[in-house]
Amino acid sequence: MPFRQKYIQLENPCWPPTSVRANVIYNSIARTISNATSDSKNCVFNNMQQLAADFDSSCFSYLGSQATYDKWHSQWVHNLTQIPFSWNDKNGSSHHYLTLGIAQKLLNLSIKDWWALAPNAQQVNHGLECLHAPMDRVVYTATSRFICPLNSLIGKYGMKSYLYNVTCMDYLIYQQHLAQLAGGLSKALNLSKPLLRIEIDQLLWGWV
């Protein structure tokens, strides 16, 4: 299945990363963020470019094991959530930093561009299964019948927004469940190699 080619066709990713592409990634969640200043956004965009460059420079090391990649990922999510960033959510509540849910989306989409286009990504023989899939409502809803609900997203009147509410523990549980689902689906489809989390993400979005 031409996952990379389909992603390139539909999303028009960019490598090396640019501020223009960072803005496009940011705009994928911009409807949930209001009143953020241009300076705040530019600071986030710069960090997105830095994290992508950092990953590419040592990708063979960072992809050495799931634990190593998770440690790198966690550090950059933390970095993003420490950037002063004043904004209002769709309910009008004010915030002064990015949430984990927003940070993971910006990071994971930046690394998905690396996977699609970076020369180093084509040379990695193993370790791509360590990459996280961007967490979003479509994929979570589609997989909810196969995985247990995430406690931080259980609301009185339905699912809470992952962008505002997902915890670190639930985020990692989600990634573990996607990996298990990818393994089971690969066997069911008799594929020659296991699906990646980011490929499961595309399958559930219909990008195949």
Side-chain angles (χ1 to χ4, degrees), residues 30-208:
R31 69 185 184 280
T32 66
I33 299 174
S34 62
N35 297 329
T37 67
S38 295
D39 287 345
S40 293
K41 288 189 285 188
N42 286 334
C43 186
V44 170
F45 298 164
N46 288 337
N47 274 265
M48 290 167 65
Q49 293 174 260
Q50 290 173 27
L51 74 85
D54 173 54
F55 180 74
D56 187 57
S57 68
S58 301
C59 59
F60 298 99
S61 174
Y62 292 141
L63 293 172
S65 69
Q66 188 67 64
T68 302
Y69 180 75
D70 288 350
K71 182 179 180 180
W72 175 86
H73 188 282
S74 177
Q75 181 59 58
W76 269 105
V77 165
H78 174 76
N79 292 349
L80 290 173
T81 59
Q82 296 306 299
I83 300 170
F85 191 87
S86 296
W87 57 285
N88 294 337
D89 62 32
K90 62 183 179 181
N91 298 316
S93 299
S94 60
H95 304 263
H96 301 290
Y97 297 92
L98 296 177
T99 62
L100 183 152
I102 293 173
Q104 65 81 26
K105 192 70 175 277
L106 299 178
L107 188 160
N108 288 332
L109 287 175
S110 297
I111 297 304
K112 195 167 184 180
D113 280 7
W114 172 87
W115 164 77
L117 291 175
N120 279 341
Q122 318 302 317
Q123 299 176 28
V124 173
N125 293 320
H126 61 84
L128 292 177
E129 67 278 2
C130 298
L131 298 178
H132 293 187
M135 187 177 195
D136 61 52
R137 178 179 289 271
V138 171
V139 176
Y140 178 69
T141 301
T143 58
S144 60
R145 69 177 66 183
F146 305 107
I147 64 178
C148 63
L150 301 176
N151 290 332
S152 60
L153 302 186
I154 299 175
K156 185 176 180 180
Y157 301 107
M159 175 186 169
K160 293 181 180 179
S161 170
Y162 73 91
L163 289 172
Y164 308 146
N165 297 287
V166 71
T167 62
C168 181
M169 179 179 294
D170 278 353
Y171 170 78
L172 291 175
I173 289 173
Y174 174 81
Q175 296 298 332
Q176 292 167 4
H177 287 166
L178 281 187
Q180 293 167 2
L181 182 59
L185 188 56
S186 299
K187 290 181 180 179
L189 296 174
N190 197 28
L191 300 179
S192 59
K193 61 179 182 178
L195 291 167
L196 307 176
R197 292 184 181 98
I198 50 181
E199 292 173 337
I200 283 286
D201 178 78
Q202 286 187 209
L203 276 173
L204 295 173
W205 271 92
W207 291 1
V208 291

